[in-house]
Amino acid sequence: QVQLVESGGGSVQAGGSLSVSCAASGYMSSRYCMGWFRQAPGQEREGVAGIYTSSGTTYYADSVKGRFTISRDSAKNMLYLQMNSLKPEDTAMYFCAAGVPCFPNSPSELVRPDEYNYWGQGTQVTVSS
């Protein structure tokens, strides 16, 4: 079992920055993925960014590329998402996810929800115009 707890988020004006963090605990195999997803009211869950831990490969959704950065601290079992140049359309509940184990065939699979089998409860990010 893997437990994921998000923190951070909050409210910011457009153009500002926020970061969210995810603390992971429990058994993680040597090959696993971690990612950030978001879901706005009435919309489907969207993959934002993912990382394949064995290679360090990252992948970003086009909507956030160049503005968001995913990173992790393996020693602390922490996952981070730094969000810059935020836009009102970035407003959503942000979820941390872990795929244990994970064997993506391509980097783009790192933002597919079906690659992940553990999810956090989410943290709200609100961007005002």
Side-chain angles (χ1 to χ4, degrees), residues 6 8 11 13 21 23 38 45 51 53 59 62 71 73-74 86 96 103 106 109 112-113:
E6 300 96 338
S11 298
Q13 288 192 325
S21 303
R38 66 187 182 187
R45 190 165 294 191
I51 184 167
T53 58
Y59 189 85
D62 287 343
S71 62
D73 184 331
S74 58
L86 282 160
C96 172
F103 304 99
S106 68
E109 293 185 1
R112 283 180 48 176

Side-chain angles (χ1 to χ4, degrees), residues 3-43:
Q3 294 79 42
L4 303 170
V5 179
E6 300 96 338
S7 60
S11 298
V12 68
Q13 288 192 325
S17 298
L18 280 175
S19 64
V20 289
S21 303
C22 174
S25 61
Y27 175 73
M28 311 285 272
S29 68
S30 61
R31 300 180 68 163
Y32 62 97
C33 302
M34 294 199 76
W36 288 100
F37 291 77
R38 66 187 182 187
Q39 188 167 19
Q43 297 187 20

Side-chain angles (χ1 to χ4, degrees), residues 6-127:
E6 300 96 338
S7 60
S11 298
V12 68
Q13 288 192 325
S17 298
L18 280 175
S19 64
V20 289
S21 303
C22 174
S25 61
Y27 175 73
M28 311 285 272
S29 68
S30 61
R31 300 180 68 163
Y32 62 97
C33 302
M34 294 199 76
W36 288 100
F37 291 77
R38 66 187 182 187
Q39 188 167 19
Q43 297 187 20
E44 293 187 356
R45 190 165 294 191
E46 173 192 20
V48 174
I51 184 167
Y52 185 40
T53 58
S54 67
S55 66
T57 299
T58 59
Y59 189 85
Y60 297 89
D62 287 343
S63 57
V64 306
K65 201 172 295 181
R67 300 187 298 121
F68 289 13
T69 302
I70 188 172
S71 62
R72 73 184 189 103
D73 184 331
S74 58
K76 297 181 179 179
N77 282 336
M78 294 292 295
L79 182 73
Y80 306 98
L81 184 69
Q82 176 65 41
M83 302 177 286
N84 298 328
S85 302
L86 282 160
K87 305 175 182 180
E89 51 264 43
D90 294 318
T91 295
M93 186 73 77
Y94 282 70
F95 297 89
C96 172
V100 184
C102 180
F103 304 99
N105 293 313
S106 68
S108 62
E109 293 185 1
L110 293 172
V111 292
R112 283 180 48 176
D114 57 8
E115 285 290 329
Y116 297 85
N117 48 357
Y118 296 99
W119 296 84
Q121 294 298 308
T123 185
Q124 180 67 36
V125 171
T126 302
V127 184

